[in-house]
Amino acid sequence: GRLYAMTSNGGAYSAGVVFEYDYALHNFFRKFNLGGTNGANPNGSLTYTSNGKLYGMAYTGGLNNYGVIFEYNYYTLTYTIKYNFDGLNGSYPVGNLFKAANGKMYGMTTDGGANNKGVLFEYDYVNNIYDNSVPEESYMHDGIKVIRRSYSVFLFKKIRIFDEFYK
């Protein structure tokens, strides 16, 4: 079996890497060097989705240097920027993208947005649609309550936590 993850530093540009670890053979393989317009310094985990791809966020870098949402296809070894943060719609994403029961992912930024206090956003990876109109503190969507507290995102349904949160 293999594990896919990322580092926040190191690699060819000292800005992090996406890597594969084969835990049966104890081998580490660097798959992609982050840096510059590809995004840099991720500080969360990769999220696996039903399309067989991994999604993550890089804290800085991208076209505006405010971070990115990216996709990594480990079958084809391709890294694709899916969204460039621009400040108005959030900047400096932190933590993980959390996949909810409605099939969409949720995440947050530390800065940007209308009051420059960060945003809680929804990302539809199937249709590549980013939506930061999620209220800052909490909201209900398809029976799922999303709450933002101290750079963590919690997803609840019937008092059951669906995803872990970033500490």
Side-chain angles (χ1 to χ4, degrees):
R2 295 186 174 133
L3 168 76
Y4 291 87
M6 54 189 172
T7 65
S8 60
N9 293 299
Y13 309 108
S14 298
V17 299
V18 174
F19 70 90
E20 172 188 281
Y21 179 73
D22 185 324
Y23 52 87
L25 299 174
H26 304 289
N27 289 331
F28 169 90
F29 303 98
R30 185 179 354 196
K31 295 301 194 178
F32 188 82
N33 288 296
L34 289 117
T37 58
N38 287 319
N41 310 110
N43 63 11
S45 299
L46 295 169
T47 302
Y48 178 79
T49 59
S50 58
N51 65 6
K53 298 175 184 175
L54 300 166
Y55 290 82
M57 300 184 295
Y59 182 74
T60 60
L63 293 178
N64 305 302
N65 205 33
Y66 289 133
V68 300
I69 297 173
F70 67 85
E71 169 189 275
Y72 182 73
N73 184 329
Y74 56 89
Y75 292 114
T76 63
L77 308 178
T78 54
Y79 176 96
T80 307
I81 299 296
K82 302 306 282 184
Y83 184 78
N84 281 281
F85 289 94
D86 63 7
L88 182 61
N89 292 316
S91 55
Y92 310 118
V94 293
N96 307 325
L97 288 168
F98 299 94
K99 188 169 176 234
N102 64 5
K104 296 179 182 172
M105 291 190 272
Y106 295 87
M108 61 186 306
T109 69
T110 61
D111 294 280
N115 299 312
N116 201 31
K117 294 182 179 178
V119 299
L120 178 62
F121 64 84
E122 176 182 88
Y123 179 66
D124 179 346
Y125 68 93
V126 174
N127 298 302
N128 195 35
I129 297 172
Y130 173 90
D131 180 8
N132 75 329
S133 63
V134 178
E136 286 192 15
E137 290 304 317
S138 69
Y139 93 115
M140 293 293 293
H141 182 71
D142 292 342
I144 299 166
K145 185 169 187 174
V146 180
I147 303 172
R148 174 185 179 203
R149 295 285 186 266
S150 301
Y151 307 124
S152 300
V153 176
F154 301 85
L155 301 176
F156 295 93
K157 186 171 184 178
K158 297 181 183 175
I159 311 176
R160 184 175 150 200
I161 297 175
F162 272 79
D163 293 292
E164 296 179 29
F165 59 92
Y166 177 77
K167 292 183 181 180

